[in-house]
Amino acid sequence: MIADTQEWARLAAHADEVAGVHLRELFASDPARGEELTVGAGDLHLDYSKNRVTRQTLRLLTALAERAGVAPRREAMFRGEAINVTERRAVLHTALRAPSGERVEVDGVDVVPAVHEVLDRMHDLASRVRAGEWTGATGRRIRNVVNIGIGGSDLGPAMATRALGGDADPALTLRFVSNIDGDDLGDALVGLDPAETLFVVCSKTFTTLETLTNARSAREWLVAGLGDEGAVRHHFIAVSTNAEQVAAFGIDTANMLGFWDWVGGRYSVDSAIGLTLAIAVGPDAFREMLRGFRVMDEHFRGAPLDRNMPVILALIGVWNANFLGADTYAVLPYSQRLGRLPAYLQQLDMESNGKSVDLEGRPVGVPTGPIVWGEPGTNGQHAFMQLIHQGTRLVPSDLIGVCRPGREMGDHHDLLMANLLAQAEALAFGRTAEEVAAEGVAPELVPHRTFPGDRPTNVILLDELTPSSLGQLIALYEHKVFTQGVIWGINSFDQWGVELGKVLAKRIAPELIAGEAPAGGHDGSTDALIRRYRAARGRSA
Ligand code: G6Q
């Protein structure tokens, strides 16, 4: 286990040595760190100097990555070995952005030609919808696209469509439906004409309760609106690995785009799951995003560990979580367009690394994936940043900014970026009691107005928010999460933890329905809540 290694012990001893050394001192004794503790990759720049690390910390962390086998494990992933051991699968989202001509084999079969075949079909489909050539059952062009999917089949396309949405075709209305709460679909359908509406049903398994329930209700809405069961094939596209279930649902498999079991849901935005995104921004922009992913893949695969952006980000995260005791970290994009990035990364990170046993099934023994959350700046500054500045908990954060705005509006962008830089500065350096007192603040208020500082941040700057830089940013975090999983010795690519709730919901659902009697036999609390719900719905016990 990693915690039993010398490298881990050295880091623990080093953490004791540097404990109490404030970021102010680190900068005073090593002023070059602001320039030097940075790394570039593609269009991204990472400044990690405002972390509680010395150059020695970084050397020890790199030694830990070497000891954990990050480099060979990374190769195993890129080569298509079945590193998802609990599901006996390869993990090959990187093959989705491999250029045609490159070979990536799964069980001796090169998967790249199939990837490009699907990409070409996506390209064609998206172009037809955008050009008005895909018509509905009545011959009218499609003006509304409703994406139905959940988790990995929703968050990626929804996040990326919002990020790149400035380029979306204004003639198209795009909506994303994920929740089984009828208000989600109901609200999404308001104002839409069924004759002009296309549903893109995204589900890897095509067995997901939420997605199938929403898709069924969408089909009812469509058939009721158009009065024709045959309309379904003009208004539904499926993205799935399960052709049988797609056909059973009633979607023509000619209108289905496939992908493969070696693409995990939360790693699938760059597969056909991104179809709605491709319709929104255009297939060329989608391909540009894939090239961006590829830029980061090549950097991750080729750069030495101590100059490798995803590895550095991962190691700083391990330092914060395991040696400084931070249970959580905040993602703060200073970009409204990146507003859904925290939710996307929350799934990517927490579903991947929220594990407590290692690859052999033994307890990991150290804290693993942190609690990830966040909101765009500057909104967070007027809400939760108080706790990060002056609370008792350590909350490291990633502040993400875009240098050149998509839209120039007066001085908005300079003010936005000034706030990003000011937050990182304030978090690191704070304001001492002496400084506060010197400003003439009443003595009894000095403790309240003192900022301890020493709060770690990473600042990530994109030159511009483009399809390519977004691809680079997503891949950066994918590889960061992978690297952390390797260090902790866990499987970042399964998600058994979501199963139990699904099984129990299936058992409880019939107990809530009118005409059925509750079976009982749950715990006292669950049985009482079932009775209360039935009573509120006027359903007898
Ligand atoms: C992601 C998870 C999960 C999954 C959803 C939807 O990695 O596996 O979020 O994406 O449960 O699954 P389907 O695409 O099969 O409907």
Side-chain angles (χ1 to χ4, degrees):
M1 268 186 307
I2 195 69
D4 298 332
T5 61
Q6 261 189 0
E7 287 75 6
W8 191 276
R10 283 196 192 113
L11 275 159
H14 172 74
D16 289 340
E17 277 161 35
V18 296
V21 182
H22 197 284
L23 271 167
R24 277 194 288 263
E25 292 163 62
L26 292 177
F27 270 85
S29 62
D30 181 7
R33 61 184 281 137
E35 281 287 344
E36 292 175 7
L37 299 191
T38 63
V39 60
D43 302 313
L44 271 49
H45 172 86
L46 165 66
D47 173 354
Y48 54 98
S49 65
K50 294 197 201 72
N51 282 285
R52 291 189 202 163
V53 292
T54 65
R55 294 176 196 249
Q56 173 66 356
T57 321
L58 295 164
R59 276 191 289 275
L60 293 173
L61 285 166
T62 306
L64 182 73
E66 275 158 10
R67 176 61 189 258
V70 168
R73 202 82 192 146
R74 178 184 61 190
E75 276 316 295
M77 174 175 75
F78 276 99
R79 277 201 312 267
E81 287 177 27
I83 63 164
N84 175 354
V85 287
T86 58
E87 297 178 309
R88 297 200 184 89
R89 286 177 185 165
V91 173
L92 268 181
H93 40 278
T94 51
L96 297 169
R97 47 259 196 171
S100 74
E102 184 167 300
R103 277 189 81 79
V104 182
E105 290 184 7
V106 177
D107 299 329
V109 178
D110 180 10
V111 299
V112 179
V115 165
H116 282 270
E117 196 187 304
V118 173
L119 250 178
D120 290 343
R121 285 191 60 214
M122 255 178 107
H123 195 117
D124 173 60
L125 244 157
S127 304
R128 276 162 57 209
V129 173
R130 285 167 64 84
E133 288 164 21
W134 178 296
T135 49
T138 66
R140 301 237 300 270
R141 70 170 291 180
I142 294 300
R143 294 187 191 281
N144 318 307
V145 178
V146 180
N147 192 88
I148 298 178
I150 195 164
S153 297
D154 166 72
L155 284 161
M159 177 277 289
T161 300
R162 174 143 170 212
L164 305 174
D167 307 322
D169 183 344
L172 278 174
T173 298
L174 299 156
R175 295 191 178 153
F176 288 85
V177 174
S178 55
N179 202 331
I180 200 164
D181 182 341
D183 280 339
D184 201 8
L185 179 66
D187 289 352
L189 296 179
V190 169
L192 303 190
D193 180 343
E196 298 180 339
T197 301
L198 179 68
F199 293 96
V200 177
V201 185
C202 292
S203 177
K204 180 173 167 180
T205 55
F206 230 78
T207 57
T208 305
L209 179 75
E210 292 88 337
T211 300
L212 291 192
T213 307
N214 278 322
R216 254 182 245 117
S217 298
R219 187 173 59 189
E220 278 166 23
W221 174 84
L222 182 95
V223 172
L226 298 180
D228 171 16
E229 189 67 42
V232 171
R233 71 193 168 88
H234 299 276
H235 294 266
F236 274 79
I237 295 178
V239 182
S240 185
T241 57
N242 191 344
E244 217 174 289
Q245 289 295 326
V246 168
F249 179 87
I251 298 177
D252 187 346
T253 47
N255 293 342
M256 171 182 154
L257 291 172
F259 62 115
W260 307 271
D261 69 357
W262 40 261
V263 182
R266 53 195 174 275
Y267 298 87
S268 67
V269 60
D270 46 350
S271 72
I273 289 289
L275 177 64
T276 301
L277 167 66
I279 294 173
V281 301
D284 292 327
F286 188 83
R287 284 181 195 264
E288 192 196 328
M289 182 184 80
L290 296 184
R291 283 192 291 276
F293 272 97
R294 174 75 178 183
V295 166
M296 191 56 72
D297 291 346
E298 285 177 347
H299 168 81
F300 177 55
R301 201 171 183 182
L305 297 182
D306 61 352
R307 299 297 304 150
N308 195 308
M309 195 185 280
V311 173
I312 291 171
L313 209 53
L315 291 173
I316 301 258
V318 167
W319 173 250
N320 288 336
N322 297 118
F323 298 96
L324 301 185
D327 288 331
T328 175
Y329 97 91
V331 180
L332 309 171
Y334 276 69
S335 160
Q336 197 59 23
R337 293 256 168 94
L338 291 175
R340 291 292 284 161
L341 186 71
Y344 175 80
L345 294 182
Q346 192 171 56
Q347 179 191 27
L348 180 70
D349 202 321
M350 294 174 75
E351 208 165 50
S352 296
N353 286 345
K355 311 287 161 66
S356 50
V357 295
D358 69 9
L359 292 169
E360 277 80 41
R362 302 167 303 192
V364 191
V366 296
T368 57
I371 301 157
V372 182
W373 57 282
E375 279 287 320
T378 59
N379 297 3
Q381 292 173 209
H382 301 267
F384 52 75
M385 288 302 290
Q386 164 64 36
L387 182 146
I388 304 189
H389 282 288
Q390 287 189 312
T392 52
R393 295 169 200 281
L394 182 66
V395 185
S397 37
D398 287 359
L399 292 94
I400 303 168
V402 179
C403 295
R404 292 193 293 274
R407 172 195 280 132
E408 286 286 4
M409 185 180 283
D411 55 1
H412 286 229
H413 197 69
D414 295 335
L415 293 174
L416 174 70
M417 290 301 286
N419 272 280
L420 181 160
L421 299 174
Q423 286 299 308
E425 190 178 21
L427 286 164
F429 302 105
R431 188 178 250 189
T432 63
E434 295 72 39
E435 286 166 344
V436 174
E439 284 173 5
V441 169
E444 68 276 17
L445 286 181
V446 168
H448 299 278
R449 299 193 53 180
T450 298
F451 285 69
D454 214 21
R455 282 22 186 178
T457 59
N458 292 303
V459 173
I460 299 172
L461 295 180
L462 282 63
D463 290 338
E464 239 175 292
L465 182 57
T466 61
S468 171
S469 68
L470 181 68
Q472 294 169 39
L473 187 66
I474 300 172
L476 166 65
Y477 280 101
E478 286 178 349
H479 298 322
K480 171 206 160 174
V481 165
F482 166 81
T483 303
Q484 292 186 330
V486 174
I487 290 171
W488 290 318
I490 58 181
N491 183 1
S492 301
F493 300 104
D494 60 10
Q495 56 284 315
W496 300 104
V498 300
E499 293 302 321
L500 180 60
K502 286 192 202 170
V503 172
L504 295 186
K506 266 201 187 133
R507 217 161 79 196
I508 292 175
E511 300 190 56
L512 303 183
I513 291 169
E516 300 275 332
H522 301 274
D523 58 278
S525 160
T526 307
D527 281 335
L529 290 166
I530 289 172
R531 283 195 298 275
R532 190 172 177 84
Y533 175 79
R534 289 184 65 98
R537 298 277 277 162
R539 295 169 186 169
S540 56

